[in-house]
Amino acid sequence: PYSVQVNSYDNKNDADKRIERLRQIGYESFSYPAFVDAKDRTYFRVYVGRYQDLQSARKACEDLKKKGDFESDIFVVKRY
């Protein structure tokens, strides 16, 4: 399964606020904590969508970039 990573925050509260805003405008969104060794800290990554295959996720990512609700540096990630 795949999702599109749309943001990353070093504060869970900020991530939760972004998720709430995304849900209000109709996006399925969620976050997941990720520890980054090089920075010795945890980031809360915000994702949109759940796609069964890479092709669907890539198409969704391109569509999201066109909508203007997201920065251009969003990208597809594989969820484990």
Side-chain angles (χ1 to χ4, degrees):
Y2 299 86
S3 290
V4 179
Q5 182 175 325
V6 297
N7 295 102
S8 183
Y9 298 93
D10 60 2
N11 179 299
K12 185 175 183 333
N13 190 45
D14 291 340
D16 289 343
K17 287 178 184 176
R18 178 65 168 151
I19 290 168
E20 182 59 31
R21 285 191 302 270
L22 290 170
R23 288 179 178 166
Q24 287 173 354
I25 58 175
Y27 293 104
E28 175 190 10
S29 56
F30 59 97
S31 71
Y32 196 81
F35 184 76
V36 178
D37 287 329
K39 296 192 176 188
D40 194 32
R41 67 186 324 164
T42 298
Y43 289 87
F44 299 89
R45 296 181 174 161
V46 177
Y47 303 96
V48 168
R50 298 172 193 269
Y51 306 95
Q52 292 305 309
D53 59 77
L54 182 58
Q55 183 178 358
S56 296
R58 285 182 175 161
K59 180 175 182 342
C61 185
E62 291 305 312
D63 291 345
L64 291 171
K65 286 179 182 180
K66 293 174 187 173
K67 288 188 176 185
D69 294 328
F70 303 95
E71 300 294 324
S72 62
D73 61 349
I74 64 174
F75 55 93
V76 173
V77 297
K78 185 171 184 168
R79 292 182 289 113
Y80 296 96

